[in-house]
Structure formats: structure tokens, C-alpha cells
Amino acid sequence: MYAGEMAIASNVEEAGNAVRAEKGRKYFYFRKMIGDYIDTSVRIVATVFLADLLRRLYHCVVEYGSNGRYYLPEDRLWVILRRSCTYNNRSIYLIVGFVLVAFFRISVTGNYRDVVPTTLFLVHMPLYWIWSFSDMDHSTLSYSHWIRDSHGLDYAAGMASNYFHGYLKLSLPERKDDGLKQRMEMYEDKNNVTFGIKRLVILIPDEMFVNGVLESHLLDKAEPLETQFINRAGVYRPFKHAVYRMNKKVNGRTYYFAIEGATPLISFFDAIYSNLSATWQMQELKREIWLKFYKHLRELITTWPETRDLIELIIYNL
């Protein structure tokens, strides 16, 4: 009886050891699988980075040889290298992250070869070059994202900057008692009227077109504000602001408003419907450009202290 109990206990112990051994093997293979996955991922990323670096160097050579006239001779090579080998923040974070992972794996395994790309990986670099050459990751949505970025190089940001720096920032702030508010006060005193808001109202319709005379059943055209002449590049240019009056009284009073359409959008409207300048990208993304123009112009106006309280932007759908 005692021997039987001993045999049963031995069998139970052996079974427990077998279970633990099986769990240990599974844990070992699981850790090995995770480690191999990390090592392979590091190798793939290192291969892609090397292929990308070679591609960038190739573009440097082509740029230097074919488009050198776009650069000043004294720093041509440096500028081309800097432009070609500049990475965005997300790429830098990714590279640093994988470098740290690679060092961690080396500290665990003690073998740096596990994270260094082998020939089996390097021979696949042409696939990356083919992928990059084909621009398979590029779509019309890529244009949209590019327009929305705050780099200032797109059509909309250019229109907004030119409009702000070449017109609004010049004609509205106070210089020699000829700012917008001063001219409004002079207009009120001269004509015995009242402005509803001491700001220039700028209309930004989604259609991007505003008539030379605003058409509204609520507004009638009135005499404009006094013309302002400002020296710009050696030429005294006239700056004018249209005035409209409400044809219905509010609390027994008739209010006047300085209103105009955003003139750069009218030029853009002409451009997208002209055979000389229209492209399918402009047609396809005109709403993106319209919204970016409004957002960038609003940012410029609110950031610059002298114009912050002088302009009221009205964006609307027709």
C-alpha cells in the first residue's frame, strides 16, 4: 500500500516536472520568437534607412549636375546636401527609437551581428528604390495634407501673406492720423453717420468670387472712405475701402460698414477657370485652398498687434 502511494506521488511529481518543463520550453521559444522579431525589424529598418540614404545621395549628385544654377556657387554643394539629407521630426524619432532598441538587443544577446543587416536583407534595397520612384504612397490626399501644413509654401498661404503684408498691414494701422479708425471717425463726422463696427469687414465666400459692387437686399453702396496713398517701392499707390449702408434701420439708426471681398481669391477664381493657368490639382483642391487662405490670413491678422482689432473676416458658403 505504501509502495503504491509512493509510486503515485512519484508519477504526480514527474507529471508536474513535465508540465513545468513544457511551460519552460514554451516560454523560451516565445522569448526567442519575440527576440527574433525585434532583430528582424531592426535589420529591416536599417536596410530601409541605408537604401534611403543612398537614394538621397543619388539625388544630390543629380541636383548638383542638372540644377546647379538654382544655387549660389559659393555654397551650392552644402545647400544641396543639407536639403537632401534633412529628415522630419517623425523620421528622426523613429530612427533614434530603433537605434535604442538595437543597443538594447546587443546588451541582452551580446552579439551585434543579430541587428546588422545581412546580404539577404541588403539585396532587397532596390525594391525600396522602385517603390520610391513609383510614388505609390502619393495620392491627391497627399496634396491636401501638404496644403494644410504650416510651411507657408503653398498657393493659399502665399495669397494670404501677400494680401496681408502688401495691403492690410499697410493701409489699416495708424501711421499719421490716417489709419482705418481715424478715417472712419472723419467719415462719421463729415456725413453725420455711424459705423456698425470700427473694422474692415472682409468677405471670403466659398465660391471665391465677389462682384465689384456687393449685391444684397440689405445693403446700398455709399461713398468710400478717403483714399490713402502709401509709398510702395518708390510709387505712391492708392488704397481704398468701400462703404455700404444698411437700408433698414436698427433701433431707429442707419448703420454703415466698410466691406470688401478678399481680392486674392478673385485672382485665384480667374486662375482656376483660365486655360492659361488652370490645373486639375487647383480645380480638385480649391476648397482646401479657400480654407487654408482663411486660416492663414486669420493667423496673420490676430498675431500682428496693429491689425488684431481692425479686421473682421466673414467666411461663408453660398
Side-chain angles (χ1 to χ4, degrees):
M1 189 71 163
Y2 180 74
E5 291 177 353
M6 290 291 292
I8 292 172
S10 177
N11 291 336
V12 171
E13 184 176 356
E14 290 178 0
N17 291 335
V19 170
R20 284 191 292 272
E22 181 65 21
K23 288 183 177 179
R25 281 194 296 271
K26 289 182 178 179
Y27 179 68
F28 170 78
Y29 286 119
F30 177 75
R31 286 187 57 186
K32 186 177 185 305
M33 180 181 67
I34 295 297
D36 290 344
Y37 175 80
I38 294 174
D39 293 342
T40 302
S41 299
V42 172
R43 283 175 166 177
I44 291 173
V45 171
T47 303
V48 171
F49 174 75
L50 180 59
D52 181 72
L53 181 61
L54 293 175
R55 182 183 65 87
R56 289 170 182 259
L57 293 177
Y58 166 76
H59 285 309
C60 283
V61 174
V62 174
E63 184 74 6
Y64 189 88
S66 302
N67 301 307
R69 64 185 180 278
Y70 291 101
Y71 306 89
L72 295 175
E74 57 268 20
D75 59 356
R76 179 183 302 154
L77 180 60
W78 163 246
V79 173
I80 291 175
L81 285 171
R82 176 171 53 82
R83 290 182 179 180
S84 181
C85 297
T86 299
Y87 291 87
N88 59 41
N89 290 336
R90 286 174 294 183
S91 299
I92 294 173
Y93 296 151
L94 179 66
I95 293 170
V96 171
F98 272 92
V99 168
L100 294 176
V101 171
F103 279 115
F104 171 75
R105 286 296 299 163
I106 293 173
S107 67
V108 171
T109 63
N111 186 4
Y112 71 90
R113 292 185 178 89
D114 290 340
V115 294
V116 175
T118 62
T119 305
L120 182 62
F121 288 87
L122 297 178
V123 296
H124 290 90
M125 287 196 298
L127 293 177
Y128 174 80
W129 297 331
I130 294 172
W131 177 275
S132 300
F133 177 77
S134 64
D135 277 340
M136 290 187 66
D137 61 337
H138 190 82
S139 66
T140 305
L141 189 60
S142 303
Y143 287 120
S144 299
H145 292 160
W146 186 78
I147 291 173
R148 295 170 195 168
D149 285 342
S150 56
H151 42 67
L153 299 176
D154 59 281
Y155 201 116
M159 288 194 300
S161 295
N162 289 337
Y163 186 46
F164 177 77
H165 292 290
Y167 173 56
L168 299 177
K169 197 177 77 170
L170 295 175
S171 64
L172 301 184
E174 297 292 337
R175 294 288 186 268
K176 299 178 181 178
D177 295 329
D178 60 353
L180 178 68
K181 290 187 176 181
Q182 179 69 19
R183 282 177 286 150
M184 281 185 166
E185 292 174 358
M186 293 172 58
Y187 190 98
E188 288 178 329
D189 295 339
K190 178 180 178 181
N191 298 284
N192 193 25
V193 298
T194 302
F195 278 94
I197 181 173
K198 293 294 181 67
R199 297 186 179 193
L200 175 64
V201 178
I202 298 177
L203 305 179
I204 307 178
D206 63 340
E207 195 177 67
M208 290 175 285
F209 180 80
V210 179
N211 286 324
V213 177
L214 300 181
E215 297 178 356
S216 173
H217 65 282
L218 294 175
L219 297 174
D220 294 325
K221 188 170 178 58
E223 290 295 320
L225 291 178
E226 181 182 351
T227 301
Q228 189 181 25
F229 292 89
I230 299 176
N231 190 329
R232 193 67 169 164
V235 178
Y236 279 90
R237 303 184 183 277
F239 289 81
K240 300 181 179 181
H241 304 297
V243 176
Y244 290 81
R245 62 173 172 269
M246 292 187 64
N247 52 33
K248 293 184 179 180
K249 293 186 177 182
V250 178
N251 297 327
R253 186 186 293 270
T254 299
Y255 288 101
Y256 285 64
F257 298 89
I259 307 177
E260 62 185 56
T263 51
L265 288 184
I266 300 177
S267 299
F268 179 65
F269 177 87
D270 293 336
I272 61 177
Y273 290 106
S274 169
N275 293 331
L276 296 174
S277 54
T279 63
W280 71 265
Q281 291 93 337
M282 293 166 65
Q283 289 277 1
E284 176 71 23
L285 301 172
K286 59 184 179 181
R287 185 172 179 84
E288 291 280 350
I289 295 173
W290 167 64
L291 289 172
K292 177 63 178 291
F293 171 81
Y294 164 73
K295 292 178 181 179
H296 192 64
L297 181 59
R298 181 185 60 185
E299 180 182 358
L300 292 172
I301 291 170
T302 55
T303 301
W304 191 251
E306 289 187 327
T307 57
R308 188 176 298 148
D309 300 323
L310 296 177
I311 303 169
E312 189 73 29
L313 299 179
I314 299 181
I315 184 170
Y316 57 96
N317 296 304
L318 292 176

